[in-house]
Amino acid sequence: MVHYEKNGLEGCKVLVDKETGVNYLYSWDGYSGGLTPLLNKDGTPIITEVNK
């Protein structure tokens, strides 16, 4: 996890896939939530180098 915010029942986190290094935004509000990849200006996914 790169970033985490929470306010009551809502919040968001930035997660990094340990295999690919792709960054994802996970956000939730109460019982609903969603996950989406974070993208660069050119539409490619943001990738963080992962130590294997």
Side-chain angles (χ1 to χ4, degrees), residues 21-45:
V22 174
N23 287 242
Y24 294 92
L25 174 65
Y26 174 64
S27 65
W28 67 93
D29 187 0
Y31 293 108
S32 62
L35 181 73
T36 188
L38 293 175
L39 305 176
N40 290 310
K41 289 181 182 181
D42 62 1
T44 59

Side-chain angles (χ1 to χ4, degrees), residues 16-23 46-52:
V16 177
D17 184 298
K18 291 180 182 180
E19 294 292 319
T20 63
V22 174
N23 287 242
I46 295 175
I47 298 177
T48 301
E49 188 174 326
V50 178
N51 296 328
K52 292 186 179 183

